[in-house]
Amino acid sequence: MAIALVLVLVVVGSVLFHALSPWWWTPIASNWGYIDSTLIITFWITGAVFAAVVLFMAYCVWRFRHKEGNVAHYEPENKRLEWWLTILTGLGVTAMLVPGLFVWSQFVTVPADATEVEVIAQQWQWSYRLPGADGKLGTSGSHLVSPENPLGVNPDDPNGQDDVVVEAADLHLPMDKPVKMLLRSIDVLHDFYVPEFRAKMDMIPGSVTYFWFTPTRTGTFEVLCAELCGTGHGFMRGIVMIDTAEDYATWLGEQSTFAQLSTPEQVGATEQTVVRP
Ligand SMILES: [Cu+2]
């Protein structure tokens, strides 16, 4: 009897904890509301099945408890029950998987007007590269990485000269404009994850992975690394700021291109002309 009561309390406690818990996902800041809906469908189905199974278990523990002289009836097969369980399980699994297929097809279909933004992960910081005025990112490679060229941009590629390099600093993106995040790692596995964007993807040395999203509200959002990548993994944080079009243009105007960063002598010369009081 006590065990049956404990099982009922486990169900009641779980449902109350889910309903009253202060820990819920952060407010969304992207177009991926569909991903939240998919999770909610999964919560409902797994929650209902969990409650049904545990309550059934509590019922059986109570109903078929030990009684002097009671002998269990042996019934190895029950075709009707097996059919029902197979059909219900099939329906439940289908209801959880089908919405995911729709989301995935959207997730991998990048809109034609999405602008490309490259994210470069390394132990343990985030850097970014934007395509510049020509709208094209230059080629790059880990073998080109050096103290002067921390992102490994190909210096011989004309498309790369105007690329905007944001090294270990905050990324800004304009609101309501779809972006395709090209993900590159120059050392080990990392994973670019901004919880409010509801999208993330592993970054694999030697290949470029991607996802896309459209920021839907302005704000400052924290980037986390979602792949255990070494002793500094927990500190691998960054900031993405979603700006209005004007704020974004101002920020972009303050950034340096690859060509500017590759000729530090000239930058130094102009800095020296500043007269200090
Ligand atoms: Cu990492």
Side-chain angles (χ1 to χ4, degrees), residues 30-41:
S30 83
N31 59 308
W32 291 120
Y34 213 171
I35 286 186
D36 286 3
S37 315
T38 309
L39 285 176
I40 286 174
I41 293 173

Side-chain angles (χ1 to χ4, degrees), residues 84-184:
W84 271 113
L85 286 176
T86 307
I87 290 167
L88 287 180
T89 310
L91 283 177
V93 171
T94 308
M96 284 192 286
L97 291 184
V98 168
L101 294 177
F102 283 102
V103 180
W104 183 249
S105 117
Q106 290 184 13
F107 200 75
V108 295
T109 311
V110 183
D113 60 338
T115 46
E116 291 187 333
V117 175
E118 188 185 61
V119 184
I120 301 100
Q122 74 182 99
Q123 291 173 320
W124 287 278
Q125 64 183 31
W126 301 103
S127 298
Y128 308 93
R129 187 159 65 113
L130 307 168
D134 63 355
K136 283 186 204 139
L137 284 168
T139 51
S140 59
S142 302
H143 61 286
L144 298 166
V145 171
S146 67
E148 298 75 43
N149 186 1
L151 307 190
V153 180
N154 180 1
D156 301 325
D157 187 342
N159 291 336
Q161 297 302 316
D162 68 345
D163 288 0
V164 173
V165 172
V166 182
E167 197 210 342
D170 300 350
L171 173 68
H172 289 237
L173 292 172
M175 197 170 80
D176 292 332
K177 293 266 188 308
V179 277
K180 181 181 184 183
M181 309 299 276
L182 298 166
L183 308 171
R184 207 152 67 78

Side-chain angles (χ1 to χ4, degrees), residues 190 225 227 229 236:
H190 299 277
C225 181
E227 202 65 78
C229 58
M236 192 167 167

